Amino acid sequence: MPRYSSRPNRPGHYSAYPRESPSPRKLWKYTGAAGCLIFILLLIKSSPVPTTPNLHPFGPTAHRPPSNPSNTTNPSEPRWSNHWRWLNPFSGSITDDEHRSVLPPPRERPPIYTYYDQDAEKDQGIKAAENKLLLIWRRAWWAQGFKPVVLGKAEAMNNPLYERFQVRKMEHTLGADMMRWLAWGQMGQGILSNWLVLPMGPYHDHLLSFLRRGEYPKLTRYEDLHLGLFSSDKASIEAALKEALDAPNLAKSTSLRDLLSSETFAVDPKPSAIAFYHSTTLADQYKAVSASLTDSKATGLLLLADLIISHLHLTFLNTFSSGIAILTPHRSHTLLIHYPAITLANALATCSSSPIPTSCPPNNPSCTPCSSSQPVALSTPQSYENSSTLFTIGTIPHPYTLASLLSKTAALSIPHIRRNSARDPWLVSTTSKTLGSTLGGPDRLVPFKESVASEASASRSLWLVAEEEGQDESSALSRKELEWYFGFALPAYNVSTLSDPTTLKTSTITAALASPALYRPTFSSSSSSSSSRSVAEEDSKTSLGNKELEHQRTLLAHAKSVLEMDAGSNSGIGSRWKGRRRTGSKDDDDVSEERVRMAAEAWHLADAEAWRFVRAWGARGREERGEWEGGEKRFVGRGAWGD
């Protein structure tokens, strides 16, 4: 029998205080009001937030901050997020998106300023030559981790001290020097450089590393650089300008330095990684260029530009005295995808044209000149070597591409990948020299990411994606991108042959390795191996016949087409596969290949993570430079960018 509680039931709140039920008319009224309120709230939430219009349409233009790249959602493009936990082996554990790579936060690029008066009346030939020198200056400082900015009269006129400057009488040379400092003072703290002052030293040079920190506690000049380079905070620049404008000998002086007391400047020793092509230096060390400047300034400036490019190239070769290594893991099956890297290495090893071929940079008179009689050491190791004197060029293929090349077939299947392929073959082979052969792929990811993107290693290596094409100007293999990466022009680099490696002729591949016009790489298991073996012996191990090379070309083209199918989007594959019967149609074949690609990524998790990381790392660098260049073109014009 049910048990009943002896506790009496108490009346509820509504029974103790009864209320009259609303009439149906009022009920409909309240319901309608609530629905309207919900609709208005949803409308406000979905509408974009209005932006504040520009309230100063005639004021100076300002640089916009770069967009957040982590919002990229296009599955066919690289996706990344910036986070300090970038050394986690798998990015998906941080982003909850296995196709989004986690990159280190971008390093702050401190601005370095130079002054150039574009409005001055000059011959068009002289202007074109000066624009070429400005482009050389920009490229060299950008490659060293700085943000080069060209200032002009507009910045100087915006300085509050410009009115005091206008009413003072002074020599023309002092006025030009004063305008340069006024423009610099308007921008605040930073580095002021002559556009004939260039960095010519290793990336980790002490002075360059100090300048990249962006902290300049006092006004500093450097010995033997004349008026070529200064660093300072904003207060010191303003104090120096006021002291110069109030100097009693202002009308007779020709340089701002003569107006300042010795206590105003802190003098640092002569830097070993900075070169200044001052007129005195040209007259003493480069007489041919100096004489040409006297005869025809436009011609002399063009010769000076060629001389500076050759010295920048020579500095690169002297910095990496052990040569250039082209990583070629599994090269008997993947020689075709390494052809762009071999071509680039040959271009780097080819001496740049120079009006004085045996000359050295002014800051390094004891350099080793570039000479065809002493060719640069090129090697093709299968494993990465961590050396500060060796520059490495690596090409990483997608796991699907590598599986297809190693299996020598485009008809891959999921059982074939699981049963007949070792896991993460590219990463294991690439890191075997530094990490041994016992570790698995995931344990190798962190050291590999450090070698690609850490500040200690990023300056001595270049990593490419095998599926990248070089025809587009924004691609990693384009001449323009490579010249900004290295900091100097590459005259011997022919990008037209790299537009698509799948269209290369067999004779072109052979020429890259055997042409006497280029330096032939020494195929070896490590960069330190002896190169005394005969050419015939090496050819028997690395050369490919026409039939085999044609087969690699077909496999690479097929792999590219598979990777272009909704790359990185699992939802698209699942929606196309769900509820579909296998009818043998082309759509079914595409879905099947996409499933094989997904299986290759799942089976080779570490290789896929490394491929996405390298792809995102290169894309972010190109995007950063593209945004900066697009903004700076508004201030300096197109002629100074080599367009």
Side-chain angles (χ1 to χ4, degrees), residues 280-292:
T280 305
T281 304
L282 295 177
D284 292 342
Q285 303 181 31
Y286 313 104
K287 292 181 172 57
V289 176
S290 180
S292 181

Side-chain angles (χ1 to χ4, degrees), residues 71-132:
N71 293 329
T72 304
T73 57
N74 189 343
S76 63
E77 297 179 356
R79 290 180 285 174
W80 66 87
S81 295
N82 303 321
H83 200 277
W84 62 272
R85 293 176 60 192
W86 64 279
L87 283 178
N88 195 293
F90 292 100
S91 300
S93 61
I94 299 175
T95 63
D96 294 329
D97 179 3
E98 62 178 358
H99 296 281
R100 183 183 298 277
S101 297
V102 177
L103 302 179
R107 288 185 282 272
E108 187 76 19
R109 287 179 175 267
I112 179 169
Y113 303 104
T114 193
Y115 183 85
Y116 180 73
D117 187 3
Q118 281 193 316
D119 300 330
E121 294 185 1
K122 299 178 183 178
D123 179 74
Q124 291 300 319
I126 296 177
K127 230 173 195 180
E130 289 178 344
N131 282 335
K132 183 176 182 180

Side-chain angles (χ1 to χ4, degrees), residues 327-340 342 382 395 397 401-406 426 466 544 548-549 552 556:
L327 289 184
T328 56
H330 310 285
R331 58 171 170 256
S332 60
H333 299 83
T334 61
L335 182 59
L336 184 66
I337 67 174
H338 299 302
Y339 170 76
I342 294 173
Q382 299 198 52
T395 304
T401 305
L402 184 60
S404 180
L405 291 172
L406 293 179
W426 187 89
L544 295 176
E548 187 173 356
L549 186 60
Q552 282 192 18
L556 181 58

